[in-house]
Amino acid sequence: MADYLVIVESPAKAKTIERYLGKKYKVKASMGHVRDLPKSQLGVDTEHDFEPRYITIRGKGPVLKELKTAAKKAKKIYLAADPDREGEAIAWHLAHSLDIDLSSDCRVVFNEITKDAIKDSFKHPRKINMDLVDAQQARRILDRLVGYKISPILWKKVKKGLSAGRVQSVALRLIIDRENEINEFKPEEYWTIDGTFLKGKETFDASFFGINGKKHPLKTQEDVKEILSKLKGSKFSVEKVTKKERKRNPAVPFTTSTLQQEAARKLNFRAKKTMMIAQQLYEGIDLGKEGTVGLITYMRTDSTRISNTAIEEVSAFIDQTYGKDFLNTTKRPAKKNENAQDAHEAIRPTSTLRKPADVKHVLSRDQLRLYKLIWERFVASQMAPAVLDTMSVDLDNNGLTFRANGSKVKFAGFMKVYVEGKDDQLEEKDKMLPDLKEGDTVLSKDIEPEQHFTQPPPRYTEARLVKTLEELGIGRPSTYAPTLDTIQKRGYVALDNKRFLPTELGGIVLNLIIEFFPEIINVEFTAKMEKELDSVEEGTIEWVRIIDSFYQDFEKRVEKAEAEMQEVEIEPEYAGVDCEECGHPMVYKMGRYGKFMACSNFPDCRNTKPIVKDIGVKCPTCHEGNIVERKSKKRRIFYGCDRFPECEFVSWDKPIERKCPKCENMLVEKKLKKGVQVQCVNCDYKEEQQK
């Protein structure tokens, strides 16, 4: 019989830890929280210091019974939930349910699930940290008050199933404010003049910069004509050559938010998916002979700090694999966000020596891709800066300055392993210029003016929204994924081409919150509240004071909203076609995956149809139907016959009306990195790539 009982949250984690601790330890899983506020009522006594009323979560009775039975047989119980506020609260609830003395050293924490980390943590058990527990309780109670007081009003005045949380309301406001910016944006005209130049047989590009070396903007076509009229012949003299050496530092290791951002950019992962897979890698993967091992450190963190042991290991690895030149000899201090709690290390592999290729055979495709991203980012973060040779050249023709810029990687440094992704930008590539010297003469080959218009700010992607919330101090690492998921589930926003688009419902709800609960969607107020809640964790302020300060004014606003908020009737948007099942008109609806058509006779008729777009091409398979553009559940565009399911033609590439001149088969437009190319689906016929 085991002498010690260890309780963690998940069975996967339990399995990994039990193998490390040996026969004297029995490890069981609580499956998350065992107690929580009741779902059917507020569960907070607003008259008596906001005392919460916790009950056993429905369905957790058998789990709790099993834990109580095991606890009676154990000499000592250790609570080993995750090393954060939520984990501390889970441990506290378990202590209450199992009658564990709160003054006893029953709590163990570890940042990674490896043999050394686990064994070391059990040498240093501690008491449950009530400051952490109170910080979690404060957030839970505050969110309960906001949600359970506002949501019933929205159900009554707008429609059932709506909600209004602290962080989700601010996220919704950011999305809608950005949409308003886009709608109100007035594009401004501007022009560029780009040229191709010859130095001997070598060609390079340069663009008009200004007059006599001073920048001169081109706002209209008349400005362009005036500049072009001043050009004299095709000879340009090289007026100025500037050569510099530029260093580029690697990105710091991942935090929760930067991991979500980079996984969205490079792997096309949603925030929720990133966290789910990271949890699997943290809790442990069966590596065969080595057993079950946690591959990464704890994935909910806002710190870029790295332990000395990990730095020593990765430094030795870089030295042996890439050479001393690639090792970073100047240690940069960990970059700390002013809102960061710095409770844990950055997200990193538990061992640098466990390369992605070594574990490829035991990981799923998505697990491998995320592990590879984390591994490469961490290794690169400890490598030497990249060194780039840059060159800037000014060309002159009758006082008109054209400028060319080039760069070349002189020393790859960290770039040999990993380069950070950028939103809506291509990664840097070598762009070399010929060997030019001041006084040289070059010839213009082509000089082309081009009209442009300024663009509105882009809609938020998941990555950009997470970054913005973090910069504003809204929410914390663990809240981003569920927040983004909630605003989509409620129908407040939809994803279109991986970007958030607000719905009519989202606009209605936000306007009501702005009118009756302005502090809920006030960015500064919410950020200040986050800092105050963090101060509870630091033990500098009592959580009841924070809640009470907020609730005094909030309660009055709730009473006013109940009395004065008008009922809102959402007018249906008719699609112009009738339902083929019952004859009622179809209307447009907005779901979490975008717009679709639904029968207006719902719930009596539940017929729905996707919105399709006819591209004007006959189906090459049945020759009767037309090809239409559709969207998959993951919002990826594909093309199929409108006679589906009778005709099963489908294509990811867009078919075009022309036939292949070589084999008379179907031609499609294939999207490539730099443009679109027309190709045959049957033979090797290809046309020149279009931008």
Side-chain angles (χ1 to χ4, degrees):
M1 186 182 293
D3 292 335
Y4 307 106
L5 172 66
V6 181
I7 303 175
V8 296
E9 299 105 305
S10 74
K13 196 172 169 183
K15 182 182 176 185
T16 310
I17 293 170
E18 191 168 74
R19 193 173 61 84
Y20 293 141
L21 293 176
K23 293 179 181 179
K24 287 189 176 183
Y25 291 83
K26 183 69 180 173
V27 186
K28 288 190 170 290
S30 68
M31 311 297 286
H33 278 279
V34 291
R35 296 197 312 167
D36 197 5
L37 299 171
K39 281 189 175 182
S40 58
Q41 51 189 275
L42 183 64
V44 178
D45 189 346
T46 56
E47 301 294 323
H48 298 89
D49 289 339
F50 305 96
E51 184 70 30
R53 186 173 74 83
Y54 293 113
I55 62 168
T56 301
I57 296 170
R58 183 178 292 180
K60 285 296 180 75
V63 174
L64 201 50
K65 185 179 178 182
E66 185 183 339
L67 292 176
K68 284 179 177 178
T69 302
K72 286 176 183 176
K73 298 175 183 176
K75 290 181 183 177
K76 174 90 176 169
I77 303 169
Y78 292 103
L79 305 171
D82 285 343
D84 56 13
R85 282 186 294 255
E86 205 69 33
E88 206 71 20
I90 289 173
W92 179 70
H93 285 301
L94 283 167
H96 272 273
S97 299
L98 302 177
D99 294 323
I100 298 171
D101 183 359
L102 291 176
S103 64
S104 66
D105 292 334
C106 60
R107 179 82 168 110
V108 288
V109 291
F110 34 81
N111 189 49
E112 58 186 68
I113 303 179
T114 57
K115 189 173 184 178
D116 290 343
I118 298 298
K119 290 206 165 188
D120 185 62
S121 69
F122 277 85
K123 290 176 185 174
H124 307 97
R126 60 165 172 80
K127 297 177 180 65
I128 290 174
N129 186 329
M130 287 309 298
D131 289 335
L132 286 176
V133 174
D134 286 344
Q136 189 274 345
Q137 279 200 111
R139 276 183 163 79
R140 185 78 183 96
I141 291 168
L142 185 62
D143 289 339
R144 173 56 67 105
L145 291 171
V146 172
Y148 274 52
K149 291 287 186 178
I150 299 179
S151 297
I153 302 173
L154 295 177
W155 299 347
K156 189 176 176 182
K157 307 292 184 178
V158 186
K159 62 178 281 192
K160 285 196 173 181
L162 303 183
S163 66
R166 285 185 312 120
V167 180
Q168 75 176 54
S169 297
V170 176
L172 177 61
R173 180 173 193 167
L174 291 172
I175 292 166
I176 292 179
D177 283 352
R178 177 58 56 87
E179 194 67 22
N180 292 336
E181 282 183 66
I182 293 168
N183 293 333
E184 292 165 10
F185 181 81
K186 292 179 181 176
E188 293 181 7
E189 179 185 14
Y190 71 98
W191 288 72
T192 56
I193 304 174
D194 298 322
T196 304
F197 294 83
L198 287 167
K199 171 70 164 62
K201 292 183 179 180
E202 291 184 84
T203 63
F204 64 97
D205 297 327
S207 301
F208 173 74
F209 175 76
I211 299 172
N212 295 321
K214 292 185 178 179
K215 192 167 179 64
H216 183 79
L218 302 171
K219 295 183 178 179
T220 65
Q221 192 169 14
E222 283 66 37
D223 293 344
V224 173
K225 286 178 180 177
E226 185 183 346
I227 295 298
L228 293 177
S229 69
K230 291 181 180 179
L231 285 172
K232 290 187 176 179
S234 60
K235 288 185 178 180
F236 283 70
S237 65
V238 178
E239 285 293 302
K240 185 180 177 184
V241 177
T242 306
K243 292 183 178 180
K244 288 182 180 178
E245 189 177 271
R246 179 166 68 90
K247 282 190 175 183
R248 183 177 171 187
N249 286 318
V252 294
F254 281 130
T255 62
T256 302
S257 70
T258 55
L259 175 63
Q260 290 174 6
Q261 292 167 48
E262 194 72 337
R265 293 187 198 107
K266 290 198 168 187
L267 308 180
N268 199 24
F269 283 4
R270 305 281 298 280
K272 185 178 178 181
K273 180 176 180 177
T274 299
M275 295 310 290
M276 179 187 74
I277 296 170
Q279 183 86 33
Q280 294 165 3
L281 295 174
Y282 165 70
E283 290 190 345
I285 301 293
D286 188 350
L287 302 182
K289 288 182 181 178
E290 203 176 341
T292 304
V293 178
L295 295 186
I296 65 169
T297 54
Y298 192 54
M299 65 286 155
R300 291 187 181 90
T301 177
D302 51 18
S303 173
T304 58
R305 179 170 48 82
I306 297 296
S307 71
N308 290 332
T309 306
I311 289 174
E312 287 169 10
E313 184 186 71
V314 71
S315 297
F317 174 82
I318 293 166
D319 185 8
Q320 292 169 15
T321 309
Y322 304 105
K324 283 196 185 305
D325 291 345
F326 285 86
L327 191 58
N328 187 12
T329 52
T330 307
K331 299 299 178 187
R332 291 185 296 154
K335 188 178 177 184
K336 188 179 176 185
N337 185 302
E338 65 171 310
N339 299 310
Q341 295 300 290
D342 200 35
H344 317 294
E345 280 190 65
I347 303 169
R348 62 168 176 81
T350 52
S351 173
T352 309
L353 305 180
R354 203 173 284 115
K355 301 188 292 293
D358 298 338
V359 293
K360 183 178 179 180
H361 63 291
V362 295
L363 298 180
S364 69
R365 179 174 178 268
D366 286 341
Q367 285 173 339
L368 176 64
R369 292 170 75 203
L370 191 65
Y371 179 68
K372 186 170 183 283
L373 192 72
I374 294 167
W375 187 91
E376 288 177 348
R377 172 81 164 225
F378 173 63
V379 173
S381 74
Q382 303 304 309
M383 293 178 73
V387 181
L388 290 84
D389 280 335
T390 64
M391 186 176 177
S392 176
V393 177
D394 283 2
L395 310 175
D396 180 81
N397 178 308
N398 193 31
L400 302 178
T401 305
F402 278 66
R403 180 166 288 178
N405 291 299
S407 66
K408 180 187 178 183
V409 176
K410 182 179 181 180
F411 173 67
F414 74 91
M415 293 172 70
K416 193 172 182 71
V417 174
Y418 170 90
V419 178
E420 186 178 21
K422 300 288 182 186
D423 286 321
D424 303 325
Q425 290 180 29
L426 294 174
E427 290 180 1
E428 284 185 27
K429 293 184 178 177
D430 282 0
K431 183 185 173 185
M432 288 301 297
L433 297 177
D435 186 19
L436 297 166
K437 298 180 182 67
E438 290 178 9
D440 285 353
T441 299
V442 298
L443 299 174
S444 61
K445 185 181 177 185
D446 291 306
I447 290 184
E448 292 288 336
E450 190 174 350
Q451 184 187 35
H452 306 273
F453 291 92
T454 54
Q455 296 297 309
R459 290 189 177 107
Y460 283 106
T461 58
E462 279 204 351
R464 192 178 281 119
L465 186 57
V466 165
K467 185 178 182 181
T468 304
L469 288 169
E470 184 183 40
E471 287 172 348
L472 293 171
I474 307 297
R476 287 297 177 257
S478 59
T479 64
Y480 298 133
T483 295
L484 302 188
D485 194 46
T486 299
I487 59 176
Q488 290 172 76
K489 281 182 177 176
R490 298 287 181 264
Y492 297 160
V493 300
L495 273 179
D496 184 51
N497 195 26
K498 299 179 188 175
R499 284 163 171 75
F500 284 114
L501 188 67
T503 64
E504 181 191 6
L505 178 61
I508 289 168
V509 169
L510 183 70
N511 287 335
L512 292 172
I513 295 172
I514 288 173
E515 183 180 354
F516 293 97
F517 304 98
E519 70 280 2
I520 298 298
I521 45 78
N522 182 288
V523 171
E524 290 77 18
F525 177 86
T526 308
K528 179 174 172 284
M529 179 67 74
E530 290 287 2
K531 285 188 175 180
E532 287 180 351
L533 290 168
D534 287 341
S535 66
V536 174
E537 184 170 329
E538 294 157 11
T540 58
I541 190 170
E542 290 183 3
W543 69 268
V544 175
R545 279 176 54 197
I546 295 174
I547 304 295
D548 187 55
S549 174
F550 167 80
Y551 192 72
Q552 297 304 320
D553 187 52
F554 178 70
E555 188 178 27
K556 294 171 188 172
R557 292 191 181 279
V558 169
E559 291 171 1
K560 185 182 177 185
E562 286 175 333
E564 298 179 14
M565 189 183 288
Q566 300 294 312
E567 286 192 30
V568 179
E569 190 171 338
I570 302 173
E571 290 292 328
E573 183 186 354
Y574 291 98
V577 293
D578 292 333
C579 174
E580 61 267 32
E581 293 188 12
C582 71
H584 283 75
M586 299 289 280
V587 293
Y588 289 120
K589 295 278 187 182
M590 185 66 83
R592 66 181 303 191
Y593 298 112
K595 227 172 185 181
F596 66 96
M597 285 190 286
C599 182
S600 59
N601 194 28
F602 180 86
D604 294 330
C605 177
R606 295 178 177 269
N607 183 31
T608 61
K609 291 170 68 175
I611 297 170
V612 295
K613 177 181 169 186
D614 194 324
I615 65 168
V617 178
K618 278 286 180 186
C619 176
T621 302
C622 70
H623 307 291
E624 293 179 30
N626 294 319
I627 301 299
V628 292
E629 181 185 294
R630 299 178 185 270
K631 285 186 179 178
S632 68
K633 282 187 177 179
K634 292 187 176 180
R635 307 298 296 152
R636 187 178 171 189
I637 291 174
F638 69 97
Y639 303 88
C641 181
D642 64 2
R643 292 183 63 245
F644 179 85
E646 287 82 8
C647 176
E648 295 185 351
F649 169 81
V650 69
S651 170
W652 288 115
D653 302 313
K654 184 179 180 180
I656 62 174
E657 209 166 1
R658 290 187 290 119
K659 295 283 178 68
C660 175
K662 284 181 73 174
C663 69
E664 289 292 307
N665 227 300
M666 183 177 74
L667 290 177
V668 296
E669 289 181 352
K670 193 164 190 71
K671 285 188 178 179
L672 305 175
K673 281 187 177 180
K674 293 185 179 179
V676 176
Q677 186 176 55
V678 173
Q679 300 181 1
C680 178
V681 297
N682 185 53
C683 69
D684 60 357
Y685 176 77
K686 291 180 182 178
E687 295 181 3
E688 190 174 337
Q689 188 173 322
Q690 303 285 320
K691 280 189 179 179

